[in-house]
């Protein structure tokens, strides 16, 4: 499914589509999505739209320098019955040989209450689950971006 986005607020559409995908997914482990695309393509904006949809009111910041941010999902959204935490990871500075992070990520992925979104997933592809949902972001021209959910 490909979405053409003309302004940041329209990112709500693919964010809702991702939430719909989580409802069909296996419930034994975390739901993991990888967000691919160049710098400035709209990955963090997508996570912000998703957090807003889930009723998270804390200001979401890019986890670039701290690798990971964890947001509690309030009990207002229907999906809070399935997920208690939105976890936003920026893997840009990581490699799959980073054993300490790999162990930590494994723990996060084993918890079915986690909804995990990973920017730069290709950096750690080998340690991602096989059923990871990949979403690609592209900056087409000044006003147009695309979000493609595979
Ligand atoms: P990434 O995380 O992929 O590097 P960001 O989501 O941080 O990119 O977006 C970079 C900049 O582009 C931000 O200033 C953001 O406000 C802007 N931006 C993102 N998506 C859109 C959009 N659909 N329309 C206009 N500006 C956008
Ligand atoms: Mg970003």
């Amino acid at each position: 499914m490909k979405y053409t986005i003309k302004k940041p607020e329209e990112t709500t559409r693919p964010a809702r589509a991702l939430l719909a995908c989580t409802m069909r997914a296996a419930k034994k482990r975390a739901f993991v999505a990888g967000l691919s695309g160049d710098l400035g393509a709209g990955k963090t904006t997508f996570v912000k739209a998703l957090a807003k949809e889930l009723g998270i009111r804390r200001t979401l910041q890019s986890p670039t320098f701290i690798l990971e941010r964890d947001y509690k999902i309030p009990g207002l959204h229907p999906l809070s019955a399935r997920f208690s935490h939105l976890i936003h990871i920026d893997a840009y500075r990581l490699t799959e040989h980073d054993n300490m992070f790999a162990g930590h990520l494994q723990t996060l992925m084993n918890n079915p209450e986690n909804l995990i979104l990973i920017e730069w997933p290709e950096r750690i592809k080998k340690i991602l689950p096989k059923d990871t949902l990949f979403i690609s972001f592209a900056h087409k021209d000044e006003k147009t971006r695309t979000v493609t959910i595979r």
Side-chain angles (χ1 to χ4, degrees):
M1 191 65 172
K2 187 171 184 172
Y3 298 84
T4 301
I5 310 282
K6 299 281 187 183
K7 47 183 189 246
E9 305 83 78
E10 290 175 8
T11 313
T12 304
R13 283 161 45 226
R16 284 186 181 152
L18 172 77
L19 293 177
C21 289
T22 69
M23 288 185 230
R24 296 191 294 268
K27 293 180 174 57
K28 285 192 189 140
R29 281 169 288 124
F31 186 92
V32 183
L35 315 180
S36 304
D38 292 338
L39 201 68
K43 303 179 295 297
T44 299
T45 302
F46 177 84
V47 183
K48 284 182 182 167
L50 195 91
K52 200 171 169 206
E53 278 303 301
L54 288 168
I56 294 166
R57 296 171 76 173
R58 254 173 70 200
T59 308
L60 195 137
Q61 288 169 299
S62 172
T64 302
F65 295 102
I66 57 143
L67 307 178
E68 176 191 328
R69 286 183 191 266
D70 183 322
Y71 302 89
K72 189 162 174 20
I73 298 171
L76 304 161
H77 194 278
L79 271 174
S80 67
R82 157 84 206 267
F83 299 112
S84 62
H85 288 266
L86 171 68
I87 295 169
H88 183 192
I89 293 169
D90 189 326
Y92 190 74
R93 288 180 169 71
L94 290 170
T95 74
E96 36 213 10
H97 311 293
D98 189 333
N99 291 330
M100 210 158 87
F101 187 81
H104 171 64
L105 186 61
Q106 205 58 54
T107 306
L108 293 174
M109 292 188 305
N110 284 337
N111 182 348
E113 292 191 11
N114 288 336
L115 171 53
I116 306 175
L117 301 179
I118 306 177
E119 295 189 38
W120 302 99
E122 37 291 302
R123 303 276 301 151
I124 54 168
K125 205 153 196 171
K126 288 191 188 128
I127 58 173
L128 294 180
K130 285 191 184 66
D131 58 358
T132 298
L133 179 75
F134 285 96
I135 308 182
S136 40
F137 296 78
H139 197 163
K140 294 289 177 196
D141 58 53
E142 195 166 341
K143 287 226 172 89
T144 318
R145 285 156 211 258
T146 59
V147 181
T148 311
I149 302 180
R150 267 166 280 173

